Structure formats: structure tokens, C-alpha cells
Amino acid sequence: MKIVTAIINSSKLDDVRDAIEAAGAHGVTVTKAKGFGRQKGHTETYRGAEYTIEFHPKLRVEVAVEDPMVDTVMQAICNAARSGELGDGKIFVTPLEKVMRIRTSEVGAEAL
């Protein structure tokens, strides 16, 4: 099992959620995040004062899947989140050693 973590623009959340569901994965966790990559910070003006925005608002989307589904879910997220602009995000895949459903105590793939 793996955890697929995607850092995306908040405007793409509905598209990404729909794409993950269409790919056959169940259950998504979404967390607000801030960060920057190659886009770095930028300057904005508010009421005549200049502010440097170093971190951009993003969303962290996490979904646990079985190994055979990883590439399908990654491609679905990529297609849904892509705008072609700088700052579209990243996808990370990490191993998931164990998972347990609290309500039923199911363990492993059955808990997903």
C-alpha cells in the first residue's frame, strides 16, 4: 500500500477529487498548506503598502491506495490539477506500512 500526496492549487480541488473517485480510490484527506517551489515569492500592494508574499496557499490532498492503483491515481491527479502554469504542484508517493479502520478494526487493504 502507498500514500499518494499531492500539493495542488485550491482552485483545482473539485476536479482532483472527482478524478480520484473516477480512478477508483476511496477516501481523500485535504489539508490547507502554504509553500513555494520554483515560483518563489512575489510582491503585492495592499492599501498603498507593499508586502512580500513568500508562501503561496495550496492544498495537500492525501489518498491511500493499493500498489497497483498508484500510477492510475497519480495520472488522474496530474491531469486534473494541471493548468500548465508555474505552481501547479507536486505528487509524492510514500510507503504505507499498516492501516486500520477504527470502527471495525479491519487491517490492511480491507481497511481502505
Side-chain angles (χ1 to χ4, degrees):
M1 293 180 292
K2 304 277 193 252
I3 292 220
V4 178
T5 303
I7 308 300
I8 63 167
N9 285 318
S10 56
S11 63
K12 296 290 189 171
L13 178 60
D14 290 335
D15 295 336
V16 168
R17 185 195 62 223
D18 293 344
I20 290 171
E21 283 183 41
H26 305 288
V28 175
T29 300
V30 178
T31 310
K32 289 182 181 179
K34 291 183 180 182
F36 70 89
R38 291 188 178 151
Q39 69 196 100
K40 306 273 190 235
H42 66 279
T43 309
E44 290 185 4
T45 304
Y46 179 71
R47 294 189 178 183
E50 237 179 50
Y51 294 94
T52 300
I53 308 297
E54 294 180 2
F55 295 99
H56 297 275
K58 303 283 185 181
L59 292 177
R60 178 183 175 126
V61 178
E62 296 173 302
V63 58
V65 297
E66 293 185 63
D67 290 349
M69 291 186 64
V70 170
D71 291 334
T72 303
V73 170
M74 285 180 68
Q75 195 59 53
I77 293 169
C78 187
N79 292 341
R82 180 183 293 135
S83 71
E85 300 294 321
L86 202 58
D88 275 349
K90 297 263 191 311
I91 300 174
F92 306 98
V93 178
T94 51
L96 177 60
E97 289 187 34
K98 279 188 176 181
V99 61
M100 175 185 272
R101 179 174 290 149
I102 294 172
R103 179 175 52 87
T104 62
S105 296
E106 292 171 303
V107 178
E110 295 80 32
L112 296 179

